[in-house]
Amino acid sequence: MKNFSEAYLKIITTDFYGLNLTRILDPHEFQLKQYEDSLLPFKALPELMNIIKDIDLICDIGFGGGFPLLPLATFFPSKKLIGLEARRKKAEAVQEIAKQMNLTNVQTYHKRSEEILFDRKAFITLKAVGKIPVYLEKINALEETYVLFYKGPNVEEQEQTDGIPGWEQILNRPVNLEGAIGRNILLYRSKKVPRGTNSFDKNLVKVSNIL
């Protein structure tokens, strides 16, 4: 969506210039590497769309300048999207950008993933740089939870991608975006928590309470 990308880039480089929300300033490159790349897994993989169609909540962890959070909000207008960001200024800035872009289905929070208990079915996205096992270990999932990672083409040579305790890998597919580096899309599903167990920290914030 060219008009969306142009408006987005203008806001980032004027109202919030000092926050360094993106290093990509060329409009075409911004649309390709920020907007189109954010939507790439869902456009390229029909099986992914089949999974997410029955999930109402999408959570983006570590969204930084709003990617893939805000592009996903345009792609899934009927779903509720929340973003978790460790840096307060960026969380507040992206919420304001969402407001200016008339994205009413987005809410950002200055929180880390390990502070949240996913007590309802959710689909989580992670485009941030970091190791898959480290991120998955921090996610507290009481209900069925899916976690999607945007990774580079050589991810399996660089880190552990399977056999992660508590998680089942259900998708590992290479996808390509014309004019950009290739990607591997990896999707994990939380293994069921045995009924009657209550091993989660009582101080965790239930995701159902912040929607």
Side-chain angles (χ1 to χ4, degrees):
M1 188 182 298
K2 186 176 180 180
N3 291 341
F4 178 90
S5 295
E6 289 178 349
Y8 196 168
L9 182 59
K10 183 177 181 180
I11 294 171
I12 284 178
T13 55
T14 54
D15 296 358
F16 299 103
Y17 178 74
L19 289 182
N20 297 316
L21 296 178
T22 183
R23 296 179 180 179
I24 302 173
L25 302 179
D26 176 76
H28 175 73
E29 188 178 7
F30 181 86
Q31 181 182 353
L32 181 69
K33 294 184 178 180
Q34 299 289 38
Y35 185 80
E36 295 295 342
D37 184 61
S38 292
L39 303 183
L40 178 61
F42 305 93
K43 289 184 174 181
L45 303 173
E47 58 266 53
L48 196 57
M49 290 297 290
N50 190 52
I51 291 171
I52 202 172
K53 65 181 176 62
D54 296 323
I55 302 176
D56 296 328
L57 174 63
I58 298 174
C59 175
D60 187 25
I61 295 175
F63 54 81
F67 316 106
L69 180 64
L70 299 193
L72 289 177
T74 69
F75 197 66
F76 296 107
S78 64
K79 297 185 185 295
K80 175 67 178 178
L81 286 94
I82 63 173
L84 306 179
E85 172 56 53
R87 290 156 291 188
R88 180 184 298 276
K89 288 185 177 180
K90 289 192 174 183
E92 293 173 347
V94 172
Q95 185 63 63
E96 178 58 29
I97 293 170
K99 181 180 178 181
Q100 292 189 36
M101 302 292 290
N102 296 316
L103 296 173
T104 59
N105 59 334
V106 176
Q107 182 65 49
T108 66
Y109 297 93
H110 171 229
K111 290 187 178 296
R112 299 179 183 274
S113 59
E114 55 265 39
E115 299 176 61
I116 302 296
L117 176 61
F118 288 91
D119 62 333
R120 57 173 287 180
K121 193 172 183 179
F123 192 102
I124 297 172
T125 55
L126 272 152
K127 199 176 179 183
V129 176
K131 301 297 185 181
I132 290 173
V134 173
Y135 277 119
L136 289 179
E137 185 180 0
K138 294 178 180 179
I139 295 173
N140 304 290
L142 185 60
E143 296 294 334
E144 185 177 44
T145 301
Y146 292 84
V147 184
L148 178 81
F149 288 89
Y150 296 68
K151 285 290 184 175
N154 301 318
V155 59
E156 292 181 294
E157 299 174 8
Q158 300 169 349
E159 59 178 293
Q160 179 185 357
T161 61
D162 206 356
I164 301 170
W167 296 90
E168 174 190 8
Q169 185 190 102
I170 60 175
L171 186 67
N172 183 350
R173 291 276 300 280
V175 292
N176 294 303
L177 183 64
E178 186 177 354
I181 190 171
R183 278 204 180 275
N184 260 53
I185 301 303
L186 298 100
L187 182 69
Y188 297 82
R189 178 172 56 205
S190 61
K191 293 182 178 178
K192 291 183 178 180
V193 177
R195 289 187 179 275
T197 62
N198 188 19
S199 59
F200 295 107
D201 187 339
K202 293 182 179 179
N203 294 317
L204 293 174
V205 177
K206 292 181 178 180
V207 73
S208 61
N209 289 341
I210 64 175
L211 297 177

